[in-house]
Amino acid sequence: MSKIDRIETLIVDLPTIRGHVLSMTTMMLQSIVLVRVRFADGSVGLGEGTSIGGLSYGAESPESIQLAIDTYIAPQLLGRNGDDINGAIALMDKMVRGNPIAHCAVETALWDGLAKRLDTSVAQLFGGAVRDEMAVAWTLASGNSETDIIEAQQMIQAKRHNIFKLKIGKRAVRDDIAHVAAIKKALGDSASIRVDVNQAWTLADARWGLAGLQDIGVDLVEQPIRARALKGMKQLTDTYEIGVMADESLQGPEDALTFAADRSADVFAVKIAQSGGLKRGAEVIAIAQAAGIGLYAGTMLESGLGTAAALQLFSTVETLEWGTELFGPLLFTDEILQNPIEYSNFRVKRPAGLGIGVALDEDKVKFYARDGAAAAQR
Ligand code: MUC
Ligand code: MG
Protein backbone atom coordinates (compact mmCIF):
# COMPACT_ATOMS: atom_id res chain seq x y z
CA MET A 1 0.00 0.00 0.00
CA SER A 2 1.25 3.46 -0.84
CA LYS A 3 -0.71 6.56 0.01
CA ILE A 4 -1.54 9.20 -2.62
CA ASP A 5 0.35 12.28 -1.38
CA ARG A 6 0.01 14.84 -4.18
CA ILE A 7 -1.61 15.25 -7.57
CA GLU A 8 -0.05 17.88 -9.83
CA THR A 9 -1.26 19.11 -13.23
CA LEU A 10 0.37 21.20 -15.94
CA ILE A 11 -0.82 22.34 -19.38
CA VAL A 12 1.78 21.95 -22.12
CA ASP A 13 1.25 23.48 -25.58
CA LEU A 14 3.01 21.64 -28.41
CA PRO A 15 3.13 23.12 -31.94
CA THR A 16 1.99 20.83 -34.78
CA ILE A 17 4.29 20.15 -37.77
CA ARG A 18 1.66 21.69 -40.11
CA GLY A 19 -1.89 22.89 -39.82
CA HIS A 20 -4.06 19.81 -39.05
CA VAL A 21 -7.34 20.55 -40.84
CA LEU A 22 -10.38 18.82 -39.36
CA SER A 23 -14.04 19.44 -40.24
CA MET A 24 -14.51 21.57 -37.11
CA THR A 25 -11.17 23.32 -36.63
CA THR A 26 -7.58 23.65 -37.79
CA MET A 27 -5.00 22.73 -35.18
CA MET A 28 -1.69 24.59 -35.06
CA LEU A 29 -1.04 23.64 -31.46
CA GLN A 30 -2.00 20.72 -29.25
CA SER A 31 -2.66 21.39 -25.57
CA ILE A 32 -2.07 18.48 -23.25
CA VAL A 33 -2.68 18.21 -19.53
CA LEU A 34 0.13 16.35 -17.77
CA VAL A 35 -0.68 14.69 -14.45
CA ARG A 36 1.85 13.61 -11.88
CA VAL A 37 0.64 11.58 -8.92
CA ARG A 38 3.16 11.42 -6.06
CA PHE A 39 2.88 8.50 -3.63
CA ALA A 40 4.11 8.30 -0.02
CA ASP A 41 6.85 5.75 -0.85
CA GLY A 42 8.41 8.19 -3.35
CA SER A 43 6.99 6.52 -6.45
CA VAL A 44 5.46 8.78 -9.11
CA GLY A 45 2.79 7.99 -11.71
CA LEU A 46 2.35 9.93 -14.96
CA GLY A 47 -0.85 10.52 -16.93
CA GLU A 48 -2.11 12.68 -19.78
CA GLY A 49 -5.49 14.22 -20.54
CA THR A 50 -5.86 15.61 -24.04
CA SER A 51 -8.68 16.73 -26.29
CA ILE A 52 -8.65 18.33 -29.74
CA GLY A 53 -9.20 21.91 -30.84
CA GLY A 54 -10.28 23.50 -27.56
CA LEU A 55 -14.00 22.80 -27.18
CA SER A 56 -14.61 22.16 -30.89
CA TYR A 57 -14.18 18.36 -30.74
CA GLY A 58 -15.83 17.55 -27.44
CA ALA A 59 -17.14 18.86 -24.14
CA GLU A 60 -13.79 18.99 -22.31
CA SER A 61 -11.08 21.59 -22.85
CA PRO A 62 -7.50 21.51 -21.53
CA GLU A 63 -8.51 24.13 -18.97
CA SER A 64 -11.60 22.20 -17.84
CA ILE A 65 -9.60 18.97 -17.58
CA GLN A 66 -7.08 20.71 -15.34
CA LEU A 67 -9.82 22.33 -13.26
CA ALA A 68 -11.75 19.07 -12.83
CA ILE A 69 -8.61 17.34 -11.59
CA ASP A 70 -7.28 20.12 -9.33
CA THR A 71 -10.58 21.17 -7.80
CA TYR A 72 -12.72 18.05 -7.76
CA ILE A 73 -10.71 14.85 -8.29
CA ALA A 74 -7.50 15.48 -6.36
CA PRO A 75 -9.17 16.39 -3.04
CA GLN A 76 -11.16 13.12 -3.21
CA LEU A 77 -8.11 10.95 -3.83
CA LEU A 78 -5.48 12.48 -1.54
CA GLY A 79 -4.61 10.19 1.38
CA ARG A 80 -6.18 7.11 -0.25
CA ASN A 81 -4.36 3.85 -0.90
CA GLY A 82 -2.75 4.31 -4.33
CA ASP A 83 -3.00 0.58 -5.06
CA ASP A 84 -6.81 0.73 -4.93
CA ILE A 85 -7.40 1.87 -8.51
CA ASN A 86 -10.88 0.33 -8.70
CA GLY A 87 -11.83 2.32 -5.58
CA ALA A 88 -10.45 5.52 -7.13
CA ILE A 89 -12.42 4.89 -10.34
CA ALA A 90 -15.64 4.32 -8.40
CA LEU A 91 -15.07 7.50 -6.40
CA MET A 92 -14.30 9.56 -9.51
CA ASP A 93 -17.45 8.20 -11.19
CA LYS A 94 -19.53 9.19 -8.17
CA MET A 95 -18.03 12.57 -7.36
CA VAL A 96 -17.09 13.85 -10.83
CA ARG A 97 -19.75 13.04 -13.44
CA GLY A 98 -18.76 13.00 -17.09
CA ASN A 99 -15.29 14.48 -17.69
CA PRO A 100 -13.91 11.20 -19.09
CA ILE A 101 -10.61 12.77 -20.19
CA ALA A 102 -9.90 14.11 -16.70
CA HIS A 103 -10.71 10.66 -15.26
CA CYS A 104 -8.42 9.02 -17.80
CA ALA A 105 -5.47 11.30 -17.03
CA VAL A 106 -5.60 10.55 -13.30
CA GLU A 107 -6.33 6.85 -13.73
CA THR A 108 -3.39 6.48 -16.12
CA ALA A 109 -1.08 7.98 -13.50
CA LEU A 110 -2.45 5.53 -10.90
CA TRP A 111 -1.77 2.54 -13.21
CA ASP A 112 1.69 3.89 -14.02
CA GLY A 113 2.51 4.28 -10.32
CA LEU A 114 1.15 0.86 -9.36
CA ALA A 115 2.96 -0.96 -12.16
CA LYS A 116 6.23 0.77 -11.25
CA ARG A 117 5.83 -0.23 -7.59
CA LEU A 118 5.19 -3.81 -8.69
CA ASP A 119 8.21 -3.66 -11.01
CA THR A 120 6.13 -4.45 -14.08
CA SER A 121 4.35 -2.88 -17.07
CA VAL A 122 0.79 -1.59 -17.24
CA ALA A 123 0.17 -4.17 -20.01
CA GLN A 124 0.99 -6.88 -17.47
CA LEU A 125 -1.65 -5.47 -15.10
CA PHE A 126 -4.18 -5.93 -17.93
CA GLY A 127 -3.24 -9.58 -18.37
CA GLY A 128 -0.05 -9.23 -20.41
CA ALA A 129 0.82 -8.12 -23.94
CA VAL A 130 -0.17 -10.44 -26.79
CA ARG A 131 1.85 -8.27 -29.21
CA ASP A 132 4.51 -5.60 -28.83
CA GLU A 133 4.04 -3.92 -32.21
CA MET A 134 0.93 -2.68 -33.92
CA ALA A 135 0.03 -1.33 -37.37
CA VAL A 136 -0.17 2.46 -37.22
CA ALA A 137 -2.14 4.81 -39.47
CA TRP A 138 -1.29 8.44 -40.28
CA THR A 139 -3.81 11.23 -40.77
CA LEU A 140 -3.64 13.25 -43.99
CA ALA A 141 -5.11 16.62 -43.08
CA SER A 142 -3.09 19.39 -44.70
CA GLY A 143 -6.25 20.69 -46.36
CA ASN A 144 -4.73 20.21 -49.84
CA SER A 145 -4.93 17.07 -52.04
CA GLU A 146 -1.48 17.52 -53.64
CA THR A 147 0.25 18.10 -50.31
CA ASP A 148 -1.54 15.07 -48.85
CA ILE A 149 -0.40 12.87 -51.76
CA ILE A 150 3.23 13.93 -51.38
CA GLU A 151 3.03 13.42 -47.61
CA ALA A 152 1.56 9.92 -48.06
CA GLN A 153 4.14 8.92 -50.66
CA GLN A 154 6.93 10.04 -48.33
CA MET A 155 5.43 8.00 -45.48
CA ILE A 156 5.18 4.87 -47.64
CA GLN A 157 8.73 5.36 -48.93
CA ALA A 158 10.04 5.73 -45.38
CA LYS A 159 8.03 2.63 -44.34
CA ARG A 160 6.38 4.68 -41.62
CA HIS A 161 2.71 4.37 -42.60
CA ASN A 162 0.66 2.67 -45.31
CA ILE A 163 -2.72 3.23 -43.70
CA PHE A 164 -4.08 6.75 -44.15
CA LYS A 165 -7.03 8.44 -42.55
CA LEU A 166 -8.25 11.46 -44.50
CA LYS A 167 -9.99 14.22 -42.61
CA ILE A 168 -13.02 15.37 -44.58
CA GLY A 169 -16.39 17.03 -43.91
CA LYS A 170 -15.33 20.65 -44.14
CA ARG A 171 -16.08 21.06 -47.86
CA ALA A 172 -19.13 20.09 -49.92
CA VAL A 173 -19.57 16.30 -50.13
CA ARG A 174 -18.85 16.33 -53.87
CA ASP A 175 -15.54 18.16 -53.33
CA ASP A 176 -14.56 15.84 -50.51
CA ILE A 177 -15.21 12.79 -52.69
CA ALA A 178 -13.03 14.28 -55.45
CA HIS A 179 -10.26 14.90 -52.88
CA VAL A 180 -10.41 11.32 -51.58
CA ALA A 181 -10.55 9.92 -55.13
CA ALA A 182 -7.41 11.87 -56.12
CA ILE A 183 -5.49 10.45 -53.16
CA LYS A 184 -6.78 6.91 -53.69
CA LYS A 185 -5.83 7.09 -57.38
CA ALA A 186 -2.32 8.34 -56.61
CA LEU A 187 -1.64 5.70 -53.96
CA GLY A 188 -3.41 2.76 -55.63
CA ASP A 189 -3.25 -0.48 -53.71
CA SER A 190 -0.11 0.51 -51.80
CA ALA A 191 -2.23 1.91 -48.98
CA SER A 192 -5.46 1.51 -47.04
CA ILE A 193 -7.56 4.66 -47.28
CA ARG A 194 -10.07 5.60 -44.61
CA VAL A 195 -11.90 8.84 -43.89
CA ASP A 196 -13.05 10.66 -40.76
CA VAL A 197 -15.92 13.13 -41.10
CA ASN A 198 -16.00 14.14 -37.43
CA GLN A 199 -19.83 14.32 -37.40
CA ALA A 200 -20.03 16.97 -40.15
CA TRP A 201 -22.56 15.33 -42.48
CA THR A 202 -26.33 15.24 -42.30
CA LEU A 203 -27.85 11.81 -42.94
CA ALA A 204 -28.68 12.91 -46.51
CA ASP A 205 -25.06 14.06 -47.07
CA ALA A 206 -23.87 10.78 -45.64
CA ARG A 207 -25.94 8.72 -48.08
CA TRP A 208 -24.27 10.48 -51.02
CA GLY A 209 -20.95 10.40 -49.25
CA LEU A 210 -20.91 6.72 -48.37
CA ALA A 211 -22.06 5.72 -51.86
CA GLY A 212 -19.23 7.78 -53.36
CA LEU A 213 -16.58 6.56 -50.93
CA GLN A 214 -17.62 2.98 -51.50
CA ASP A 215 -17.24 3.40 -55.26
CA ILE A 216 -13.72 4.76 -54.85
CA GLY A 217 -12.70 1.77 -52.71
CA VAL A 218 -12.32 3.50 -49.34
CA ASP A 219 -12.11 0.92 -46.52
CA LEU A 220 -13.75 2.70 -43.63
CA VAL A 221 -15.75 5.83 -42.81
CA GLU A 222 -15.51 7.22 -39.30
CA GLN A 223 -18.27 9.14 -37.53
CA PRO A 224 -20.01 10.43 -40.67
CA ILE A 225 -22.91 11.96 -38.74
CA ARG A 226 -23.62 13.38 -35.27
CA ALA A 227 -22.45 11.41 -32.27
CA ARG A 228 -25.95 10.93 -30.84
CA ALA A 229 -27.60 10.00 -34.15
CA LEU A 230 -27.84 6.35 -33.27
CA LYS A 231 -30.57 5.48 -35.75
CA GLY A 232 -28.76 7.22 -38.59
CA MET A 233 -25.52 5.39 -37.79
CA LYS A 234 -27.44 2.12 -37.82
CA GLN A 235 -29.08 2.96 -41.12
CA LEU A 236 -25.71 3.70 -42.72
CA THR A 237 -24.16 0.56 -41.23
CA ASP A 238 -27.02 -1.56 -42.56
CA THR A 239 -27.19 0.04 -46.01
CA TYR A 240 -23.62 0.20 -47.28
CA GLU A 241 -20.83 -2.33 -47.68
CA ILE A 242 -18.19 0.19 -46.60
CA GLY A 243 -17.33 -0.20 -42.91
CA VAL A 244 -18.85 2.40 -40.58
CA MET A 245 -16.81 3.28 -37.51
CA ALA A 246 -18.09 5.02 -34.37
CA ASP A 247 -15.77 7.47 -32.64
CA GLU A 248 -17.39 10.48 -30.92
CA SER A 249 -20.49 8.29 -30.33
CA LEU A 250 -18.52 6.19 -27.86
CA GLN A 251 -18.12 7.92 -24.51
CA GLY A 252 -17.61 4.77 -22.49
CA PRO A 253 -19.10 1.31 -21.93
CA GLU A 254 -22.75 2.43 -21.80
CA ASP A 255 -22.56 3.93 -25.30
CA ALA A 256 -20.64 0.87 -26.47
CA LEU A 257 -23.43 -1.37 -25.20
CA THR A 258 -26.13 0.73 -26.90
CA PHE A 259 -24.22 0.71 -30.20
CA ALA A 260 -23.45 -3.00 -29.96
CA ALA A 261 -27.05 -3.93 -29.06
CA ASP A 262 -28.40 -2.15 -32.17
CA ARG A 263 -25.33 -2.91 -34.27
CA SER A 264 -25.07 0.77 -35.16
CA ALA A 265 -21.43 0.48 -36.27
CA ASP A 266 -19.15 -2.12 -37.82
CA VAL A 267 -16.05 -0.90 -36.01
CA PHE A 268 -15.33 0.92 -32.73
CA ALA A 269 -12.56 3.53 -32.58
CA VAL A 270 -11.65 3.01 -28.94
CA LYS A 271 -9.92 5.93 -27.23
CA ILE A 272 -8.77 5.58 -23.65
CA ALA A 273 -9.49 9.28 -23.04
CA GLN A 274 -13.00 9.27 -24.50
CA SER A 275 -13.81 5.97 -22.75
CA GLY A 276 -12.95 7.50 -19.36
CA GLY A 277 -9.68 5.63 -18.75
CA LEU A 278 -7.90 2.35 -19.42
CA LYS A 279 -10.31 0.25 -17.40
CA ARG A 280 -13.42 1.64 -19.11
CA GLY A 281 -11.54 1.39 -22.41
CA ALA A 282 -11.00 -2.31 -21.72
CA GLU A 283 -14.75 -2.62 -21.05
CA VAL A 284 -15.60 -0.94 -24.38
CA ILE A 285 -13.20 -3.38 -26.05
CA ALA A 286 -14.84 -6.35 -24.32
CA ILE A 287 -18.30 -5.24 -25.48
CA ALA A 288 -17.07 -4.90 -29.07
CA GLN A 289 -15.48 -8.33 -28.96
CA ALA A 290 -18.61 -9.93 -27.54
CA ALA A 291 -20.72 -8.30 -30.26
CA GLY A 292 -18.38 -9.16 -33.14
CA ILE A 293 -17.63 -5.47 -33.78
CA GLY A 294 -14.17 -4.68 -35.20
CA LEU A 295 -11.59 -2.79 -33.16
CA TYR A 296 -9.36 0.18 -33.93
CA ALA A 297 -7.16 1.96 -31.39
CA GLY A 298 -8.00 5.65 -31.68
CA THR A 299 -6.15 8.74 -30.52
CA MET A 300 -6.95 12.19 -29.19
CA LEU A 301 -3.59 13.20 -30.67
CA GLU A 302 -1.89 12.71 -27.36
CA SER A 303 1.82 13.21 -26.78
CA GLY A 304 4.07 10.17 -26.27
CA LEU A 305 2.82 9.86 -22.72
CA GLY A 306 -0.87 9.26 -23.46
CA THR A 307 0.14 7.29 -26.54
CA ALA A 308 2.28 4.98 -24.39
CA ALA A 309 -0.65 4.39 -22.04
CA ALA A 310 -2.89 3.43 -24.97
CA LEU A 311 -0.18 1.14 -26.38
CA GLN A 312 0.00 -0.67 -23.04
CA LEU A 313 -3.72 -1.43 -23.16
CA PHE A 314 -4.04 -2.22 -26.88
CA SER A 315 -1.06 -4.57 -26.76
CA THR A 316 -3.24 -6.83 -24.59
CA VAL A 317 -6.19 -6.97 -27.01
CA GLU A 318 -6.57 -10.32 -28.75
CA THR A 319 -7.71 -9.04 -32.13
CA LEU A 320 -7.17 -5.51 -33.38
CA GLU A 321 -8.58 -5.92 -36.90
CA TRP A 322 -8.15 -2.29 -37.96
CA GLY A 323 -4.85 -1.52 -36.24
CA THR A 324 -4.13 1.78 -34.53
CA GLU A 325 -3.72 5.48 -35.19
CA LEU A 326 -1.40 5.95 -32.24
CA PHE A 327 0.85 8.40 -34.10
CA GLY A 328 0.22 11.45 -31.86
CA PRO A 329 3.84 12.33 -31.01
CA LEU A 330 4.76 12.43 -34.72
CA LEU A 331 2.36 15.34 -35.29
CA PHE A 332 4.37 17.69 -33.07
CA THR A 333 7.52 19.64 -33.82
CA ASP A 334 9.20 18.42 -30.65
CA GLU A 335 9.30 15.50 -28.24
CA ILE A 336 8.63 15.73 -24.50
CA LEU A 337 9.75 12.17 -23.67
CA GLN A 338 13.27 11.09 -22.79
CA ASN A 339 12.70 7.91 -24.81
CA PRO A 340 10.44 8.64 -27.81
CA ILE A 341 7.88 6.05 -28.93
CA GLU A 342 9.41 3.99 -31.76
CA TYR A 343 7.87 3.87 -35.23
CA SER A 344 9.31 1.65 -37.97
CA ASN A 345 8.21 -0.80 -40.65
CA PHE A 346 4.65 0.62 -40.65
CA ARG A 347 4.35 -0.25 -36.98
CA VAL A 348 4.45 1.34 -33.53
CA LYS A 349 6.12 -0.37 -30.57
CA ARG A 350 4.80 -0.64 -27.05
CA PRO A 351 7.44 0.98 -24.80
CA ALA A 352 9.19 -1.77 -22.89
CA GLY A 353 9.89 -0.06 -19.53
CA LEU A 354 8.06 -0.21 -16.22
CA GLY A 355 4.61 1.34 -15.82
CA ILE A 356 3.47 2.91 -19.08
CA GLY A 357 7.13 2.75 -20.08
CA VAL A 358 8.06 6.40 -20.55
CA ALA A 359 9.85 9.22 -18.74
CA LEU A 360 9.43 12.96 -19.32
CA ASP A 361 12.17 15.25 -20.58
CA GLU A 362 11.70 17.83 -17.82
CA ASP A 363 13.50 20.64 -19.69
CA LYS A 364 11.16 20.23 -22.66
CA VAL A 365 8.13 20.11 -20.39
CA LYS A 366 9.25 23.35 -18.74
CA PHE A 367 9.91 24.96 -22.15
CA TYR A 368 6.47 24.09 -23.59
CA ALA A 369 4.51 24.67 -20.38
CA ARG A 370 1.78 27.26 -20.88
CA ASP A 371 3.71 29.83 -18.86
CA GLY A 372 7.09 28.67 -20.21
CA ALA A 373 9.65 30.07 -22.65
CA ALA A 374 7.99 28.69 -25.82
CA ALA A 375 4.81 30.65 -25.09
CA ALA A 376 6.82 33.81 -24.46
CA GLN A 377 8.44 33.41 -27.92
CA ARG A 378 5.11 33.03 -29.76
C1 MUC B 1 -10.47 11.83 -34.45
O1 MUC B 1 -11.57 12.32 -34.57
O2 MUC B 1 -10.35 10.65 -34.67
C2 MUC B 1 -7.48 11.17 -34.58
C3 MUC B 1 -6.56 11.25 -35.55
C4 MUC B 1 -6.57 12.56 -36.04
O3 MUC B 1 -5.88 13.04 -36.92
O4 MUC B 1 -7.49 13.27 -35.36
C5 MUC B 1 -8.00 12.47 -34.34
C6 MUC B 1 -9.37 12.70 -33.95
MG1 MG C 1 -12.44 10.40 -35.25
Side-chain angles (χ1 to χ4, degrees):
M1 128 101 179
S2 191
K3 213 159 53 71
I4 299 174
D5 261 0
R6 282 183 67 156
I7 299 181
E8 299 160 2
T9 60
L10 182 74
I11 299 182
V12 171
D13 294 311
L14 292 175
T16 55
I17 53 173
R18 53 154 169 71
H20 201 57
V21 185
L22 319 181
S23 64
M24 64 292 184
T25 191
T26 297
M27 297 168 65
M28 303 301 292
L29 208 63
Q30 176 59 310
S31 301
I32 70 180
V33 182
L34 292 182
V35 176
R36 227 184 285 259
V37 177
R38 298 189 187 277
F39 301 90
D41 68 349
S43 59
V44 178
L46 299 173
E48 173 177 345
T50 297
S51 188
I52 290 169
L55 283 168
S56 65
Y57 174 91
E60 285 175 281
S61 66
E63 298 76 18
S64 79
I65 293 165
Q66 185 175 42
L67 179 133
I69 297 171
D70 290 350
T71 312
Y72 296 100
I73 295 179
Q76 294 292 335
L77 298 186
L78 292 183
R80 287 179 57 87
N81 174 5
D83 298 354
D84 178 20
I85 299 180
N86 283 335
I89 292 170
L91 196 56
M92 284 195 281
D93 281 352
K94 184 170 164 219
M95 302 307 291
V96 183
R97 308 270 170 197
N99 293 276
I101 304 178
H103 285 217
C104 176
V106 174
E107 191 198 312
T108 300
L110 295 178
W111 286 116
D112 187 43
L114 176 61
K116 284 172 179 161
R117 288 193 295 280
L118 295 174
D119 209 24
T120 191
S121 67
V122 169
Q124 195 58 60
L125 300 184
F126 281 83
V130 296
R131 72 180 74 74
D132 279 322
E133 293 184 359
M134 287 153 263
V136 58
W138 175 253
T139 298
L140 299 172
S142 71
N144 176 284
S145 310
E146 282 312 306
T147 311
D148 282 357
I149 290 169
I150 294 166
E151 197 173 292
Q153 284 167 339
Q154 285 168 349
M155 299 287 183
I156 295 170
Q157 185 86 35
K159 291 198 163 194
R160 225 182 66 182
H161 308 276
N162 56 7
I163 303 171
F164 298 101
K165 164 160 140 175
L166 280 48
K167 286 288 188 179
I168 60 170
K170 194 177 168 166
R171 295 171 279 207
V173 178
R174 201 184 292 266
D175 297 335
D176 269 340
I177 300 294
H179 164 73
V180 178
I183 293 175
K184 175 74 186 156
K185 186 164 172 243
L187 302 183
D189 292 332
S190 60
S192 167
I193 303 292
R194 300 136 186 218
V195 301
D196 189 357
V197 190
N198 284 112
Q199 315 186 59
W201 286 343
T202 63
L203 189 55
D205 289 336
R207 285 201 202 94
W208 283 108
L210 266 65
L213 293 168
Q214 192 163 288
D215 278 354
I216 298 167
V218 171
D219 292 328
L220 203 57
V221 54
E222 180 173 341
Q223 202 67 56
I225 57 174
R226 281 179 303 114
R228 315 267 30 110
L230 185 75
K231 279 189 188 157
M233 287 288 282
K234 177 170 173 52
Q235 224 180 76
L236 296 172
T237 303
D238 287 346
T239 309
Y240 298 93
E241 283 77 44
I242 185 172
V244 174
M245 182 155 78
D247 174 10
E248 288 94 321
S249 294
L250 299 173
Q251 307 278 329
E254 289 172 17
D255 289 335
L257 187 59
T258 307
F259 263 67
D262 277 350
R263 201 161 169 110
S264 298
D266 299 298
V267 184
F268 283 179
V270 184
K271 297 178 172 176
I272 58 168
Q274 209 162 256
S275 298
L278 280 84
K279 182 175 168 170
R280 300 295 182 227
E283 291 168 0
V284 171
I285 290 165
I287 290 167
Q289 284 173 329
I293 287 172
L295 283 168
Y296 177 69
T299 181
M300 292 295 265
L301 301 173
E302 286 105 340
S303 77
L305 211 168
T307 301
L311 286 166
Q312 295 292 334
L313 177 65
F314 287 103
S315 71
T316 69
V317 176
E318 270 173 75
T319 315
L320 206 51
E321 296 92 338
W322 294 88
T324 82
E325 58 180 17
L326 297 173
F327 68 82
L330 301 174
L331 190 64
F332 311 128
T333 55
D334 208 349
E335 178 59 63
I336 58 164
L337 296 185
Q338 285 179 28
N339 46 342
I341 307 287
E342 290 175 45
Y343 296 87
S344 63
N345 255 327
F346 306 113
R347 302 179 86 71
V348 55
K349 280 202 183 76
R350 177 181 74 94
L354 300 181
I356 57 173
V358 298
L360 289 168
D361 178 331
E362 297 297 347
D363 291 339
K364 294 282 185 65
V365 168
K366 217 183 257 171
F367 182 70
Y368 290 107
R370 187 152 280 189
D371 58 359
Q377 284 168 18
R378 269 198 299 274

